[in-house]
Amino acid sequence: MREQFSEGLKTALKARDQRRTATLRAITAAIKDKDIAIRTENRGPATNEEILAIVQKMVKQREESFAIYAQAGRADLATVEKEEIDILNEFLPKGLTEDEVEAAIKAAIVATGAEGAKDMGKVIAQLKLDYPGRIDFGKASGKVRAALAG
């Protein structure tokens, strides 16, 4: 993923795309911050999973800002946030559709042998392993709970 960001940054700089350049610089800075924090744990640079989590967090922050700006009638600032969300989403894996999420939950329940609500953690862990960054686990946890209850 690091290479994607550095290549994207080079392209944005050449194209003089200020929004894309600023957004990609923010991503690379966040990754470098994570690398520095990891050094205290005596291990290598951030993994792709950790980088994915950083980008997802950045998207979520911008979505919250977008909602606040839109509600306050600040279309100019809301537009900036929306453009940054679109840029960040280009680097995230494609999310699963509702039907695909349902099928993934059923498969994870079978794979883990989950039988009730007490096994919900196992199912969520399996989904995170099989579909990193492709499922909104805030929404999926309710579906998992319903599937295990029913």
Side-chain angles (χ1 to χ4, degrees):
M1 287 189 86
R2 288 174 194 273
E3 295 79 30
Q4 288 179 305
F5 295 125
S6 62
E7 289 301 314
L9 183 58
K10 287 177 192 174
T11 305
L13 285 167
K14 288 178 185 174
R16 299 189 189 281
D17 185 341
Q18 291 180 339
R19 175 80 56 236
R20 181 175 283 281
T21 300
T23 303
L24 292 174
R25 280 187 173 150
I27 293 170
T28 55
I31 292 169
K32 285 179 184 175
D33 288 345
K34 182 68 172 178
D35 287 342
I36 290 168
I38 288 173
R39 261 190 242 151
T40 62
E41 301 170 12
N42 291 326
R43 61 183 183 102
T47 63
N48 278 344
E49 290 78 24
E50 291 169 325
I51 293 171
L52 182 65
I54 290 168
V55 177
Q56 288 172 327
K57 181 179 177 185
M58 292 175 82
V59 168
K60 188 170 188 159
Q61 290 169 337
R62 280 156 182 78
E63 286 172 344
E64 291 169 358
S65 297
F66 173 78
I68 291 168
Y69 292 143
Q71 189 177 23
R74 295 293 310 264
D76 54 334
L77 295 174
T79 301
V80 170
E81 296 297 326
K82 180 67 176 134
E83 289 171 359
E84 289 186 2
I85 291 168
D86 292 342
I87 292 167
L88 292 168
N89 280 330
E90 291 174 20
F91 296 95
L92 292 175
K94 182 181 165 287
L96 298 180
T97 65
E98 292 293 319
D99 293 337
E100 290 172 329
V101 171
E102 302 266 342
I105 290 171
K106 288 176 186 170
I109 289 172
V110 170
T112 59
E115 296 177 355
K118 65 179 174 35
D119 296 325
M120 187 170 160
K122 290 181 193 175
V123 176
I124 295 290
Q126 185 68 40
L127 289 171
K128 285 184 178 181
L129 185 68
D130 294 342
Y131 303 98
R134 297 184 62 198
I135 296 177
D136 179 352
F137 290 99
K139 295 176 184 173
S141 63
K143 293 180 180 186
V144 170
R145 187 176 297 114
L148 289 173

